[in-house]
Amino acid sequence: IVLKHDQNFFDIELSALTYINSEKCQYAYKLDNFDQDWNVINNRRTFSFTNVPKGDYALWLKWTNSDGVWGPPVRAINIQIKPIFWQSNVAMAVYLIFLLLLLLLVWSYFNKQVKLRQNILFQRKEEEIHQNRLNFFTNVAHEFQTPLTLILGPIHKLSKSTNMIATDQKFVSMIERNSSRLLFLTQQLLEFRKAEHGHLGVFLKQFDLVNLVEQIAELFDEWALQNNIDYKLEITSDLSGWFDKDKIEIILFNLLSNAFKYTPDHGKITLTLGIQQHDLKSLDIEVTNSGKGIPKEKLDLVFDRFFLNDNKMDNEKFRTGIGLAYIKKMATLLGGDVFVSSEENKVTTFKVLLPCGKTDFNDQELEDEESQIFISDHLQNIMDDVFGKSHRTPNKITALENLLNRKKSILIVEDEKEIHGFLNELLHEKYRILIAFNGEEALAIIEKEETDLIISDVMMPKMDGVELCYKIKSTIKTCHIPFIMLTAKNTDMHRIQGLESGANAYIPKPFHPDHLLVRIEKLLEEKESILKHFTQDSIVENIIKLPVNNDDKEFLRQVAEIVRDNIENENLQSSYIEEKLAVSSSQLYRKIKQIFGFSPGDLIRTIRLKHAAELLIKSNLTVSEVCYQSGFNNRSYFYREFKKMYHSTPKEYQ
């Protein structure tokens, strides 16, 4: 019997299966899981249950006969009381799920609390690191002010001198330009710190901004021309308003500098300015550039201090990590705002809105006196000739110099043109200078020009110095060329990385000119010593003692073994070596010429003569037999060449 939860009050009536004196029968019952003992009800045949809990029960009965003898117990009926719905199994399962969810919620809450505390601690630590970094740079910047003053003052006076030679004038201009650049960076950092602490004031004058914008925009014309960038300036004819000249100047310069840094060759940059006359009069500055763009998830981070996008573009000029943060600070200080939007691999736009009405500012911030507005001198000095003049000598003059006085060729691979200019002034009197601005250009030049030594920067666009060095040293036709890395990265890790790529020397910037000159001279002397080794009395055996890298030694060993294996063949020529080594005639010629200083034919003759010298000392052969066994078919020619090399006749040498 199945009963509902509200049917747990019920009566049961029973009757014994006997028809003789049934009224004398006595009864007893027991409800399993409810009654502890048997309940004797004598001869009553009805009994009741009240408030029976939910569950499964079994009703047992027993009775006596008319003589009062009890029979065995009988399981009469099974009874099931259904629970109320909130006590059902389904309800219990739901309760369990809710309990688990509650525990999960509690765990999640405490876990989030822990992570939140960790993030707060991390942010505080990051902020502390930022502050320490800025404090350090600020202190250094303060310390730089006095030395920079003592550099810029005298150097400015020197630059006005008229009795300096052209070379000295170049060096003076270089010092003045780079001192101004350093001063600009230190002043920018100091101004940024002032803005952070609220100590930077606003000083506004009423003037037309058009002239100042054009002056700043002109600073980047050469940069655009150099990289074939479509650079456009779109401004209205009148930009009159109240402006803080210094801060507007910094905002425009940093926006354009940032755009040019991240715009590839043949890209596009547009500077747009206009006055908006809505509720408030405001200046609208918009700089748009093509390129890789900024990922959406990083758009909110670009104005953070020391944020640097992962994209490695061609130019790293003026990169401090606070440029965009500085723009944001300046715009906020002037009561404006900065916005950025970007489509990856398409276009990026920075928009600055600045109030420029007189009513937008306090009277204390306004200056009524009129004066002419010009671009700051330090900005002019930074960009003036920043790309350097061409240091290439006209081809005809170079060819004439090479004919009259053969100079060793040094390839300079560097993306900073002023470094090119400095190294050119340092080396051009003694060496022939070749110029490349990245690794790809360098490889193209090496294919066409005979190169005796390479000086390369590490950080360059398209192909960096480490990759270039690895390609040079892993190619058999170029692995003999000495390679010097000249870089600002001077940690042990970077030094090891450079040397592992195959560099012969690793010189950190700033470097002493004499250090570089001595290193170049010694590396070239090592190449010259190879020729001296080859005029001695052994060939293959002495190759392992030569001061060259392993790839060059393997090349020398292969060439020497090919010649030795065919030494008696009087018709042996360079074409046979080319076929065996699978190289072209021009490659073989250039390789041997660069290592030994003479042609493949001269190398074959030299090895023949060295072999002849070995036979004259170590064997009992006659001079004539040695002559023919060394591959010479003309005795007089053999005598003449042997005497040239060993300064004695074969007979005297024997």
Side-chain angles (χ1 to χ4, degrees), residues 83-114:
I84 195 169
F85 70 89
W86 62 74
Q87 293 180 338
S88 65
N89 291 335
V90 174
M92 292 302 171
V94 172
Y95 298 154
L96 180 60
I97 291 172
F98 275 116
L99 179 61
L100 292 175
L101 289 175
L102 179 62
L103 292 174
L104 182 62
L105 183 63
V106 171
W107 176 84
S108 176
Y109 172 78
F110 283 105
N111 190 46
K112 286 182 179 179
Q113 289 293 313
V114 171

Side-chain angles (χ1 to χ4, degrees), residues 183-215:
L183 180 63
F184 167 73
L185 295 175
T186 56
Q187 286 181 342
Q188 183 170 256
L189 183 57
L190 292 173
E191 294 288 299
F192 180 76
R193 290 296 280 166
K194 286 181 182 178
E196 274 200 321
H197 292 288
H199 300 317
L200 192 61
V202 176
F203 306 98
L204 299 114
K205 292 182 180 180
Q206 186 177 20
F207 62 91
D208 190 344
L209 197 60
V210 172
N211 185 42
L212 180 65
V213 171
E214 289 179 345
Q215 291 181 62

Side-chain angles (χ1 to χ4, degrees), residues 208-330:
D208 190 344
L209 197 60
V210 172
N211 185 42
L212 180 65
V213 171
E214 289 179 345
Q215 291 181 62
I216 295 173
E218 285 175 3
L219 297 178
F220 295 86
D221 286 342
E222 185 67 25
W223 197 338
L225 186 64
Q226 180 80 28
N227 296 331
N228 297 308
I229 292 175
D230 182 10
Y231 178 35
K232 294 181 179 178
L233 179 62
E234 299 176 358
I235 59 175
T236 58
S237 58
D238 180 41
L239 291 175
S240 298
W242 289 82
F243 306 106
D244 187 318
K245 176 254 180 185
D246 292 333
K247 294 174 180 58
I248 293 290
E249 187 178 70
I250 290 298
I251 289 173
L252 286 171
F253 183 84
N254 277 317
L255 283 174
L256 286 172
S257 177
N258 185 73
F260 273 91
K261 280 187 290 189
Y262 290 101
T263 301
D265 292 354
H266 306 285
K268 184 177 181 179
I269 295 176
T270 303
L271 171 63
T272 306
L273 285 96
I275 299 292
Q276 294 184 1
Q277 296 282 359
H278 296 304
D279 297 336
L280 295 173
K281 184 179 180 181
S282 62
L283 173 67
D284 184 359
I285 304 172
E286 195 171 289
V287 176
T288 303
N289 69 284
S290 60
K292 290 186 178 180
I294 305 170
K296 288 184 179 180
E297 63 273 13
K298 293 187 176 181
L299 283 175
D300 295 335
L301 304 175
V302 295
F303 297 111
D304 289 352
R305 291 163 299 181
F306 304 111
F307 169 78
L308 298 176
N309 195 9
D310 293 337
N311 298 338
K312 294 182 179 178
M313 299 304 293
D314 290 0
N315 209 298
E316 299 293 331
K317 292 179 178 64
F318 321 114
R319 191 163 190 174
T320 63
I322 62 171
L324 292 175
Y326 192 27
I327 292 173
K328 181 76 171 178
K329 284 287 183 186
M330 294 297 102

Side-chain angles (χ1 to χ4, degrees), residues 10-12 14 29 41 44-49 59 61:
F10 53 89
D11 296 333
I12 295 178
L14 53 87
Y29 70 89
I41 56 175
R44 282 190 302 116
R45 293 190 301 165
T46 302
F47 54 92
S48 301
F49 291 99
L59 180 64
L61 299 175

